[in-house]
Amino acid sequence: MELIERYVQQVGRFLQGRDRDDIQNELRSLLQDQLDDRVEGAASESDVIVLLKERGSPRKVAASYSGE
């Protein structure tokens, strides 16, 4: 989904180092898996928004990966 991709890209802006691509791929997969677990069939935009809001700001998510 476009919203997930935009979110992952925003997280990537706050990541440093060579692991950025791996972290973005991991996050993308995690978000999609969580969405699939919550919603049967196609997820609506509002389903995605709720999930992303629960994860927190892209800066906060990036900090969790960098250990800040």
Side-chain angles (χ1 to χ4, degrees), residues 8-21:
V8 168
Q9 293 302 316
Q10 286 297 313
V11 171
R13 291 181 61 210
F14 298 107
L15 295 170
Q16 302 285 326
R18 63 179 193 255
D19 294 332
R20 180 183 305 160
D21 290 340

Side-chain angles (χ1 to χ4, degrees), residues 11-55:
V11 171
R13 291 181 61 210
F14 298 107
L15 295 170
Q16 302 285 326
R18 63 179 193 255
D19 294 332
R20 180 183 305 160
D21 290 340
D22 289 340
I23 291 170
Q24 286 179 292
N25 288 334
E26 177 184 325
L27 179 59
R28 187 179 294 111
S29 178
L30 175 68
L31 291 169
Q32 190 60 56
D33 288 348
Q34 288 177 332
L35 197 58
D36 291 345
D37 288 344
R38 292 178 178 207
V39 180
E40 290 186 30
S44 69
E45 186 172 305
S46 62
D47 294 326
V48 177
I49 291 169
V50 167
L51 176 66
L52 297 179
K53 283 184 178 182
E54 288 174 3
R55 293 295 297 183

Side-chain angles (χ1 to χ4, degrees), residues 51-67:
L51 176 66
L52 297 179
K53 283 184 178 182
E54 288 174 3
R55 293 295 297 183
S57 73
R59 183 183 303 264
K60 176 184 160 195
V61 172
S64 73
Y65 281 99
S66 64

